[in-house]
Amino acid sequence: MQQPKAALAERIAERRSGGDDPRALVGEMRRSVLLVPMADGVLWSVRSGGVRWICGFTDEAALARFALRHTRGDEPMDYAALLGARIVDEIVPALGEPAGLAVDIATEDGSMFFPPVVGIVPDAAAVDAGAAGEGPRS
């Protein structure tokens, strides 16, 4: 049986090449266990474009590429293993600001961003809830 982390990386590659259904990619992200770096007991995130991005990685190799750029080579990086659904359904809304999930950001041609929009995060945390005259979905 294929590991979920490998399945997500494969779905990302398919989507980046123009294939695959975006809903299937979101579903795969939700089912996948992601490795989220921690600094001082807090999940690693970055702010860009007015959004706070929680950084998650599909496997230890992807996390290691990130760690090489953000720590000294001999320094271990703490991380939490979290289900994608937990990140977008619980952690993102608890941040109280526009937030999304950035996956495998240190993997050239392999990253994917899951923005804070309806269908990815809960409506209450989505920046587009109520857009274009629509009310939040239930």
Side-chain angles (χ1 to χ4, degrees), residues 4 8 23-34 82-90 101 103 114 117 119-122:
L8 179 57
R23 291 171 296 184
L25 176 62
V26 171
E28 196 65 57
M29 174 272 293
R30 295 180 62 77
R31 290 186 295 274
S32 296
V33 173
L34 296 169
L82 300 169
L83 194 61
R86 181 164 185 223
I87 296 169
V88 296
D89 290 347
E90 297 175 24
L101 174 62
V103 177
F114 296 90
V117 296
I120 295 178
V121 300

Side-chain angles (χ1 to χ4, degrees), residues 8-52:
L8 179 57
E10 287 178 13
R11 287 264 189 205
I12 289 171
E14 289 170 10
R15 184 71 194 139
R16 288 182 63 96
S17 68
D20 204 18
D21 176 5
R23 291 171 296 184
L25 176 62
V26 171
E28 196 65 57
M29 174 272 293
R30 295 180 62 77
R31 290 186 295 274
S32 296
V33 173
L34 296 169
L35 308 179
V36 182
M38 299 188 69
D40 300 322
V42 178
L43 298 178
W44 188 292
S45 65
V46 296
R47 284 188 175 83
S48 179
V51 175
R52 183 172 175 180

Side-chain angles (χ1 to χ4, degrees), residues 109-135:
D109 296 328
S111 63
M112 183 61 61
F113 290 79
F114 296 90
V117 296
V118 170
I120 295 178
V121 300
D123 291 350
V127 296
D128 65 338
E134 298 176 8

